[in-house]
Amino acid sequence: MNRFILEKEVQQFIKANRERSPTEIALKKSPFPNVSSAELASQIDGWQRSVKKLPTWAYSEGIYYPDKINLEQCSSEHTALIKQTLISKGSRVIDLTGGFSVDSCYLAQEAHEVIHCELNEKLSEIVAYNATILRVPNLICKATDGIKFLEESDDNSFDYIYVDPSRRINQGKVFLLEDCEPNIVAHQDLFFRKSKYVISKLSPLLDISTALSSLKHVKFVYVISLDNDCKELLFIQERGYLGETKILAIRLFADQLQSFEFTYEEERATLSRFSLPKHYLFDPDVAINKAGAFKSIGKAFGLGKIHQHAHLYTSDTLYPEFPGRIFEIKQVLPYSVLKKNNPFSQANIAIRNFPEKVDVIRKKHKIKDGGKTYLFFTTDVNNQLIVIECNRIF
């Protein structure tokens, strides 16, 4: 950590140039003897990456930004807010894999104390400094291995263990839970000796059922999306819990939050109702689909499903609270009609259980992207290829 970056003149320069290209800054001679052009560019790049993802950091004077990989891997403030609701006020928390501390800082707003463990000494120093700027005095930074620190702590030292296992090992990505670092499957007994609760942030690519077969005492699984992009899975384990796991799909969009709760037992016991397209079309958010609520969501809103594998729903009744996009259907065409006489020159195209890809459809039928019209290319309950023309209303 180069503390010359924190000098008033350097900070003024960064602020005055933060809208410029970091590459442009890096290629010019630095006006400061103790701060390189690359360092100036890195700070500007850090600010630009944080504006939408971490606005509290971006608009706090004097924040020191780490390497871009640390910003890429950290949580957004939107998802950190969800984690903040999962702990009790006044609790003691340890973050085993601290990183840039976004989650730790939000947990600290509820906790009595959060121990932030980070192997990277430089990053740990940056986090400790930023905690003073952000006025988070109960964030205690330890430049150490979180597992080792936990092993040396007394049993029941913490109320919550928070861990975000690294999915990058030896420059490559891993996808199995047991291959991540730390291996939370192997350390479960250790975790439950030291804490009653374990909160694990896992990859959205992870298969939930597979993880449930590896982890003990899972009380909740949170599937969190932001603007229809699945961001992370949270597994909440409670020592001794033997009940059924509750699945919560959390949709964050336009500063709003929608949630849908179900269990896999309920999902298995539910029968879908199938229907040809009616007046409204309902397209579930990615969190609903990732969670696997394919039948439960239809039952909850009394919707008909267009096809078993399409995951599109329909009704003559409008349900504005549905967690996903909602469309008014204008017409339904057999795909064969489009082959002979295409009436659409421009449209937003989506495919659901359809044999052709979007780019192939656009090229074949000369349909430009954009406009107010939405076309869903899918298969109906009679196994016929159809095109649903609609306008989005929510």
Side-chain angles (χ1 to χ4, degrees), residues 7-222:
E7 291 185 348
K8 183 178 178 180
E9 295 79 7
V10 179
Q11 287 293 303
Q12 287 175 337
F13 176 89
I14 292 169
K15 186 173 182 179
N17 292 275
R18 64 189 184 186
E19 303 282 355
R20 295 175 64 184
S21 164
T23 303
E24 179 187 347
I25 297 296
L27 293 174
K28 291 190 174 182
K29 187 177 184 300
S30 171
F32 308 105
N34 298 309
V35 181
S36 69
S37 297
E39 287 174 317
L40 293 172
S42 177
Q43 292 302 302
I44 290 169
D45 178 74
W47 181 85
Q48 292 176 0
R49 291 176 184 274
S50 300
V51 170
K52 290 186 178 180
K53 188 177 184 179
L54 308 171
T56 299
W57 276 254
Y59 292 105
S60 295
E61 297 287 339
I63 289 292
Y64 194 110
Y65 295 99
D67 295 337
K68 67 178 182 180
I69 190 170
N70 303 127
L71 289 171
E72 289 171 348
Q73 293 178 346
C74 75
S75 298
S76 70
E77 288 193 56
H78 293 88
T79 58
L81 274 166
I82 301 295
K83 303 180 188 85
Q84 188 185 73
T85 68
L86 302 179
I87 68 169
S88 301
K89 196 155 189 76
S91 52
R92 193 161 189 256
V93 181
I94 182 169
D95 185 343
L96 298 181
T97 51
F100 190 46
S101 80
V102 177
D103 290 326
S104 290
C105 284
Y106 271 86
L107 292 171
Q109 293 178 26
E110 289 293 312
H112 169 69
E113 179 181 75
V114 176
I115 305 296
H116 175 278
C117 296
E118 173 52 54
L119 267 172
N120 184 328
E121 291 186 16
K122 177 185 174 184
L123 182 57
S124 182
E125 182 184 7
I126 291 171
V127 168
Y129 162 75
N130 284 340
T132 64
I133 298 296
L134 297 169
R135 298 179 182 177
V136 190
N138 58 333
L139 183 67
I140 313 301
C141 294
K142 303 286 184 181
T144 187
D145 183 299
I147 295 294
K148 183 178 179 181
F149 186 91
L150 194 64
E151 288 173 335
E152 295 171 352
S153 301
D154 293 335
D155 288 354
N156 297 308
S157 291
F158 303 97
D159 299 297
Y160 299 88
I161 292 171
Y162 178 73
V163 58
D164 178 6
S166 174
R167 297 177 287 278
R168 291 179 180 271
I169 309 298
N170 298 324
Q171 308 301 317
K173 280 191 175 184
V174 296
F175 298 100
L176 294 177
L177 200 53
E178 291 83 354
D179 293 336
C180 296
E181 183 62 38
N183 182 343
I184 64 172
V185 176
H187 289 302
Q188 287 181 92
D189 290 339
L190 169 67
F191 291 168
F192 287 125
R193 285 203 311 273
K194 307 299 180 179
S195 173
K196 183 177 180 181
Y197 297 98
V198 182
I199 303 173
S200 300
K201 171 188 169 183
L202 304 178
S203 166
L205 298 176
L206 184 73
D207 180 76
I208 296 174
S209 297
T210 302
L212 286 174
S213 67
S214 300
L215 297 175
K216 300 182 290 186
H217 312 309
V218 180
K219 191 171 187 178
F220 297 102
V221 175
Y222 284 70

